């Protein structure tokens, strides 16, 4: 029996956390069929001498719902060893959706997630209405990665209630319709149901998204529909307002966990923003207590700070000021010309004094870039490298005896791809480490596909391996790979993935543990319709294999798209 593919001479880090060993890995029919010294012939051989062979990484928190329609490779996650993603998070899904609501949906996704409306209208062939039709559409699309998806609450509520979803309590009829749709979605392959209570999630006119209008009883009912099938994950974008409000939120969420028995996922954050934020260890204790009481919960963590990202080619914090607006409306070359003019610079620097001071509200990547406050220059960093040790703009301003705005202008003129990051949450490495070390936290939460020009979390996997494993030595490679593979496969109930084992799907990543590292992000204009977005690639990954097909070699797509839809256990068993 000739194999389709053999990865020879590599060192297997199998995803379980067990120590590494040298072995060849043989693949046939999309599955791992042999591990050891393989003598059988193969159609294709990859020499992995000196390389690690690990299960492909799994990212459970993305917003690729729109992008999957126009981007078969699944960027930017695909450049970081990811082979499977979960989309439809935080209640934002593209299904179910009535034809007359499509444009409004697109505008909501623009408002919340910075996915350009023109890209969605140009890049998507909207040929679905129900969730099963959307899933079937994703099944047909060419895709290099595997995609799992939730049915999203904001979409579902709009579908069931029309514009009433934006300000009214659901009636019994609405609830029945929504619960039936959740049941139908789980039966046809949804991984679960997602919602949001986050204050940063707003419609284009600034009002709360539909899911935030729902009473908790509505959530009980919809999670209850999953509980009746004993299947499905409940993902919730948490109330992040802080203080008493967030504690009340968490207590009510505990009731959902205990009543339903379904796994619950929410984003755990450490932040100094907002009013009286509850520290990350409060959220961890809450998880431990909920599990002790009989619930099943996971906290989604990032591997670095979540940042608002600025650059000359995208947003700058000063863009809304009048003199800046005039300059920023010009073509890039002309902007650079003006920014170099001493008279113009004096005016631009002076205008910064007019900016709104930072308020008490928590700003996400959206508002922080589109409605920026006067920057705290101690918390704004030009990115010279992807590690966590760049000097702040304030420090550079002191060092060079220049106004912080001039520091930014000079660095931007020197390199128009230079990005500046303003950590919003998980600002401190110590807090992120605490989050990641907790056994119930998951290293996931790239937000890939969203905030396309505002944030860049797609490098979370390569950052974990380069920064926390290689530079800081806080995790062994085996532990870190387990976090990115088996842990996430287990939490999302993805059967047959997340380990290098015979019989498992051949989702594999071959990388050099001495070199793997994210590159600096850049701004590219490559969305449908030419809209801009942040792009971040990585070094040190030799090959990424999805369902047995070599999808990427040295960071380049091969055009072999073998990605599948990841279905929840009810549909997968049928
Ligand atoms: Zn999200």
């Amino acid at each position: 029996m000739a194999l389709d593919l053999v990865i020879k001479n590599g060192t297997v880090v199998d995803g379980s956390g067990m120590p590494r060993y040298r072995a060849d890995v043989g693949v046939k029919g999309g599955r791992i069929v042999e591990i050891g010294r393989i003598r059988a012939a193969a159609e294709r051989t990859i020499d992995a001498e000196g390389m690690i062979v690990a299960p492909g990484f799994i990212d459970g928190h993305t917003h690729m719902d729109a992008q999957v329609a126009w981007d078969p490779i699944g960027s930017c996650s695909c450049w970081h060893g990811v082979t499977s993603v979960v989309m439809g998070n935080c209640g934002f899904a593209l299904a179910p959706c009535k034809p007359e609501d499509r444009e409004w949906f697109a505008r909501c996704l623009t408002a919340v997630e910075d996915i350009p409306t023109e890209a969605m209208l140009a890049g998507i062939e909207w040929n679905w209405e129900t969730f099963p039709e959307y899933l079937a559409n994703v099944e047909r699309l060419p895709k290099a990665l595997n995609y799992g998806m939730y049915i999203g609450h904001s979409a579902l509520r709009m579908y069931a209630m029309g514009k009433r979803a934006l300000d009214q309590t659901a009636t019994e009829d609405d609830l029945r319709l929504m619960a039936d749709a959740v049941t139908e979605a789980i039966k046809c392959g949804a991984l679960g149901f997602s919602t949001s209570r986050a204050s940063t999630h707003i419609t284009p006119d600034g009002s709360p998204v539909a899911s935030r209008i729902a009473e908790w009883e509505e959530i009980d009912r919809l999670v209850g529909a999953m509980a009746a099938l004993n299947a499905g994950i409940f993902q919730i974008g948490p109330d992040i307002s802080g203080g008493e409000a967030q504690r009340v939120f968490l207590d009510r969420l505990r009731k959902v966990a205990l009543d339903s028995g379904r796994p619950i996922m929410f984003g755990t954050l450490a932040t100094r923003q907002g009013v009286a934020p509850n520290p990350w260890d409060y959220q961890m204790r809450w998880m431990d207590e909920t599990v002790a009481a009989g619930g099943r919960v996971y906290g989604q963590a990032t591997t670095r700070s979540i940042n608002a990202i600025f650059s000359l080619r995208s947003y700058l914090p000063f863009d809304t000021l009048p003199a800046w607006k005039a300059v920023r409306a010009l073509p890039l070359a002309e902007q650079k010309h003006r920014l170099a003019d001493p008279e113009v610079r004096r005016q631009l620097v002076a205008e910064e004094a007019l900016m709104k001071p930072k308020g008490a509200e928590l700003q996400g990547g959206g508002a922080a870039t589109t409605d920026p406050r006067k920057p705290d220059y101690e918390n704004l960093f030009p990115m010279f490298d992807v590690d966590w040790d760049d000097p702040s703009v304030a420090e550079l301003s002191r060092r060079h005896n220049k106004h912080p705005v001039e520091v930014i202008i000079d660095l931007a003129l020197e390199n128009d791809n230079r990005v500046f990051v303003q950590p919003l949450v998980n600002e401190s490495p110590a807090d992120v480490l605490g989050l990641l070390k907790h056994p119930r936290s998951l290293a996931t939460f790239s937000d890939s596909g969203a905030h396309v020009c505002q944030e860049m979390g797609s490098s979370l996997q390569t950052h974990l391996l380069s920064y926390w494993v290689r530079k800081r030595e806080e995790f062994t490679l085996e532990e870190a790979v387990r976090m990115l593979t088996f842990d996430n496969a287990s939490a999302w109930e993805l059967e047959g993935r997340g380990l290098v084992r015979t019989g498992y799907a051949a989702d594999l990543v071959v990388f050099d543990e001495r070199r793997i590292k994210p590159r600096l992000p850049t701004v590219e204009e490559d969305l449908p319709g030419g809209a801009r977005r942040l792009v971040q690639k990585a070094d040190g990954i030799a090959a990424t294999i999805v369902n047995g097909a070599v999808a990427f070699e040295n960071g380049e797509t091969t055009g072999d798209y073998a990605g599948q839809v990841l279905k929840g256990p009810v549909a997968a068993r049928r």
Side-chain angles (χ1 to χ4, degrees):
M1 172 185 85
L3 298 171
D4 298 336
L5 171 70
V6 174
I7 303 165
K8 271 207 167 308
N9 308 319
T11 296
V12 174
V13 171
D14 76 356
S16 70
M18 294 276 285
R20 64 187 74 188
Y21 60 92
R22 293 279 308 257
D24 308 330
V25 177
V27 173
K28 191 169 177 72
R31 301 201 169 270
I32 298 166
V33 293
E34 251 193 278
I35 300 169
R37 298 266 175 87
I38 297 178
R39 288 166 180 88
E43 244 165 71
R44 171 136 196 225
T45 302
I46 292 177
D47 183 11
E49 180 69 47
M51 299 269 180
I52 300 296
V53 181
F57 306 147
I58 298 168
D59 189 346
H61 194 126
T62 78
H63 294 275
M64 308 273 249
D65 308 67
Q67 186 187 318
V68 68
W70 66 73
D71 173 21
I73 69 171
S75 58
C76 297
S77 288
C78 68
W79 290 311
H80 300 275
V82 169
T83 55
S84 294
V85 301
V86 180
M87 56 186 184
N89 276 280
C90 304
F92 306 120
L94 292 180
C97 177
K98 292 190 173 145
E100 60 268 29
D101 291 332
R102 283 172 190 162
E103 192 175 336
W104 194 87
F105 258 61
R107 294 203 183 288
C108 272
L109 278 170
T110 307
V112 178
E113 306 287 10
D114 191 40
I115 305 169
T117 302
E118 62 272 29
M120 283 183 275
L121 297 179
I124 302 176
E125 196 194 326
W126 297 73
N127 54 8
W128 67 87
E129 185 166 323
T130 65
F131 182 88
E133 286 164 4
Y134 176 75
L135 185 139
N137 179 59
V138 178
E139 272 194 308
R140 281 191 301 268
L141 290 169
K143 52 197 171 296
L145 310 184
N146 302 309
Y147 290 82
M149 62 202 84
Y150 299 114
I151 180 168
H153 195 180
S154 283
L156 178 58
R157 209 166 197 268
M158 283 295 293
Y159 183 73
M161 299 173 63
K163 289 279 189 287
R164 285 188 299 121
L166 296 170
D167 53 16
Q168 288 181 33
T169 304
T171 64
E172 179 53 33
D173 282 350
D174 297 330
L175 290 172
R176 200 173 310 124
L177 209 156
M178 286 191 276
D180 286 349
V182 169
T183 303
E184 175 190 52
I186 296 293
K187 283 186 175 165
C188 92
L191 296 181
F193 163 72
S194 74
T195 192
S196 165
R197 313 291 283 184
S199 52
T200 49
H201 290 160
I202 51 170
T203 68
D205 62 22
S207 58
V209 294
S211 71
R212 288 175 58 202
I213 307 299
E215 310 269 345
W216 276 99
E217 289 67 30
E218 178 176 326
I219 289 170
D220 291 336
R221 183 82 171 258
L222 300 179
V223 179
M226 295 198 293
L229 296 167
N230 191 29
I233 284 144
F234 176 46
Q235 185 272 339
I236 181 163
D239 184 327
I240 46 177
S241 55
E244 182 63 13
Q246 194 190 26
R247 289 194 292 272
V248 169
F249 160 82
L250 285 170
D251 288 342
R252 189 59 178 78
L253 185 59
R254 172 175 295 157
K255 183 173 155 44
V256 179
L258 298 180
D259 289 352
S260 70
R262 296 316 308 153
I264 297 197
M265 310 258 180
F266 73 107
T268 47
L269 296 174
T271 181
R272 273 168 247 130
Q273 278 202 86
V275 184
N278 294 301
W280 62 267
D281 41 340
Y282 176 88
Q283 301 161 49
M284 295 302 170
R285 261 197 319 279
W286 177 91
M287 282 205 288
D288 287 337
E289 289 162 10
T290 304
V291 172
R296 187 171 162 200
V297 292
Y298 300 95
Q300 303 187 339
T302 58
T303 65
R304 62 170 300 142
S305 47
I306 297 180
N307 303 315
I309 295 191
F310 300 95
S311 86
L312 188 59
R313 295 162 64 107
S314 56
Y315 300 98
L316 281 175
F318 320 110
D319 290 350
T320 50
L321 297 165
W324 279 87
K325 232 181 195 163
V327 172
R328 297 285 280 150
L330 301 167
L332 188 63
E334 185 57 22
Q335 286 187 43
K336 286 162 113 173
H337 190 69
R338 303 294 303 275
L339 289 170
D341 178 330
E343 195 44 52
V344 178
R345 281 167 80 107
R346 251 193 300 282
Q347 200 192 350
L348 295 177
V349 171
E351 225 181 33
E352 178 254 13
L354 307 174
M355 289 184 81
K356 283 183 275 188
K358 177 89 186 79
E361 75 280 12
L362 189 144
Q363 283 198 317
T369 43
T370 55
D371 183 23
R373 305 306 158 106
K374 187 166 173 170
D376 169 7
Y377 296 108
E378 304 285 355
N379 187 43
L380 185 64
F381 304 84
M383 235 181 165
F384 297 115
D385 191 13
V386 292
D387 286 344
W388 224 327
D389 46 18
D390 289 318
S392 68
V393 170
E395 199 178 317
L396 292 171
S397 148
R398 287 188 292 268
R399 217 184 272 174
H400 303 298
N401 196 23
K402 274 197 256 182
H403 192 282
V405 177
E406 276 191 281
V407 170
I408 293 172
I409 293 175
D410 285 341
L411 287 170
L413 285 178
E414 190 183 288
N415 173 357
D416 56 38
N417 257 314
R418 172 94 61 226
V419 300
F420 299 84
V421 301
Q422 179 194 326
L424 297 166
V425 297
N426 297 354
E427 300 104 312
S428 118
D431 290 352
V432 170
L433 186 60
L435 286 164
L436 287 172
K437 289 248 169 177
H438 191 280
R440 295 192 190 283
S441 75
L442 302 170
T444 193
F445 207 161
S446 67
D447 251 357
S448 280
H451 304 295
V452 299
C453 227
Q454 300 172 323
E455 294 174 14
M456 177 37 72
S458 302
S459 55
L460 83 87
Q461 296 84 12
T462 45
H463 182 74
L464 177 64
L465 300 179
S466 70
Y467 183 77
W468 290 115
V469 174
R470 194 170 62 230
K471 183 165 184 178
R472 297 280 306 270
E473 299 183 337
E474 288 289 350
F475 301 97
T476 65
L477 182 66
E478 285 83 346
E479 287 169 334
V481 167
R482 190 202 69 226
M483 290 157 72
L484 298 173
T485 59
F486 180 67
D487 284 1
N488 288 343
S490 303
W492 271 276
E493 304 180 328
L494 303 176
E495 292 172 3
R497 294 187 196 267
L499 289 174
V500 180
R501 289 271 198 283
T502 54
Y504 272 59
D507 293 345
L508 298 161
V509 55
V510 181
F511 63 92
D512 183 343
E513 64 176 324
R514 295 155 302 187
R515 281 186 59 231
I516 192 165
K517 187 176 182 177
R519 291 185 193 161
L520 286 165
T522 56
V523 177
E524 309 292 341
E525 290 170 0
D526 64 353
L527 290 177
R532 65 199 181 174
R533 66 166 180 157
L534 286 157
V535 165
Q536 188 171 26
K537 300 186 177 181
D539 289 314
I541 301 181
T544 306
I545 292 130
V546 179
N547 298 313
V550 181
F552 298 90
E553 277 177 298
N554 299 313
E556 299 295 331
T557 174
T558 61
D560 200 349
Y561 304 140
Q564 298 172 0
V565 168
L566 301 173
K567 295 184 179 175
V570 176
R573 273 189 220 111
R574 291 215 287 198

